[in-house]
Amino acid sequence: MFESNSQIICTIFGIHIYFYGVILAIAIVLGTFISEYASEKFFNFKKDTIIDLAPYLIIFGIIGARLYYCILNYAFYLRFPTEIIAIRHGGISIHGAIIGGFIGLLIFAKRHNLSVAKLCDISAIGLALAQAIGRWGNFFNSEAFGTPTNLPWKLYIAPQYRPIPYTGYEYFHPTFLYEGVLDLLIFGILFFVAKKNWQRKDGNIALLYLIFYSIVRIFVENIRIDSVMYVHGISIAILVSVMIIFVATLLLLYRNLVKREEK
């Protein structure tokens, strides 16, 4: 059984230090350094290229993650616009982070005359690892959990964090754990593909990441009970993930099968 006893690690000069923020910082650092390692070993990039790229990914990723979440919750943020910048109150989205991070990557690639496809491949490897670690922040925040369950690995949620329809339940699916383990598996696959040089074309690893993660997200979203927006009863995250799988699969097939036959 899993149980989070506190969101706060400690308090320094009256300022609370949260597990969520520390875990995200660790995830970003480790993700950056594994991408830096992969860039030198598997893609022949100059040392510190990814370290230089990281601020672009982080800044634009955070902005994208926040804006995407605010757009999905537009009714609330139209009423309380000052809450848009109150990121400490929670509310970010991985899909928004990917979009924002990609914009930052494009700017960096243009400034340094580097391959966008290769940078996407390298960043995808580190992103998968960062997500696997970062999901533990949801555990300490008692958020992003699933439907009630009594399985041995159940997650205890304190009464104040339970949604109204589920106030009578104590234990829920630890979806943070499911996604964290599956993200770690995705990282392992992408790293292995890069190491063995099986990507065949630049950009393939990034497309594989989008497909694999979207499959994982669909699985997890079917269990979670805190999705932000629904369209005809279907979570917007599932709809976006299905669209990503469709587009990324078409691109992968076109780039590796159709173009190959045309030569």
Side-chain angles (χ1 to χ4, degrees), residues 1-4 142 154-159 162 170-172:
M1 185 184 79
F2 294 90
E3 179 180 355
S4 173
S142 294
K154 59 193 175 185
L155 171 67
Y156 174 77
I157 296 296
R162 300 171 196 165
E170 293 184 329
Y171 303 104
F172 300 81

Side-chain angles (χ1 to χ4, degrees), residues 37-218:
Y37 174 84
S39 73
E40 293 183 55
K41 291 291 184 179
F42 312 141
F43 295 89
N44 299 316
F45 270 62
K46 293 180 180 179
K47 186 177 181 181
D48 293 338
T49 298
I50 304 305
I51 303 298
D52 294 336
L53 168 64
Y56 290 79
L57 296 179
I58 295 168
I59 294 172
F60 281 88
I62 291 174
I63 293 173
R66 183 59 174 170
L67 288 179
Y68 188 92
Y69 180 86
C70 291
I71 290 171
L72 293 183
N73 290 273
Y74 68 91
F76 173 81
Y77 290 103
L78 284 176
R79 291 179 60 197
F80 307 101
T82 56
E83 284 292 312
I84 293 175
I85 60 174
I87 197 168
R88 283 176 60 87
H89 295 171
I92 55 176
S93 168
I94 182 59
H95 286 135
I98 291 172
I99 295 170
F102 180 66
I103 293 172
L105 185 147
L106 286 176
I107 295 172
F108 180 85
K110 184 175 181 180
R111 287 184 175 179
H112 297 271
N113 195 29
L114 295 172
S115 166
V116 172
K118 281 188 177 181
L119 287 177
C120 285
D121 284 342
I122 296 165
S123 299
I125 295 171
L127 177 58
L129 177 62
Q131 285 179 267
I133 298 169
R135 275 301 173 190
W136 280 90
N138 297 135
F139 164 66
F140 288 103
N141 266 9
S142 294
E143 63 186 7
F145 49 86
T147 53
T149 185
N150 207 27
L151 291 170
W153 53 85
K154 59 193 175 185
L155 171 67
Y156 174 77
I157 296 296
Q160 65 269 30
Y161 301 118
R162 300 171 196 165
I164 291 176
Y166 301 95
T167 53
Y169 297 91
E170 293 184 329
Y171 303 104
F172 300 81
H173 277 285
T175 49
F176 80 90
L177 179 65
Y178 301 161
E179 185 170 331
V181 170
L182 292 171
D183 285 342
L184 191 61
L185 177 61
I186 292 173
F187 161 71
I189 293 172
L190 299 184
F191 189 87
F192 189 75
V193 169
K195 182 178 180 180
K196 296 298 182 179
N197 195 28
W198 286 350
Q199 64 263 37
R200 293 172 59 182
K201 288 187 178 182
D202 295 334
N204 280 359
I205 287 178
L207 291 172
L208 286 175
Y209 161 79
L210 290 173
I211 294 169
F212 291 154
Y213 176 68
S214 295
I215 293 172
V216 168
R217 188 59 186 268
I218 291 171

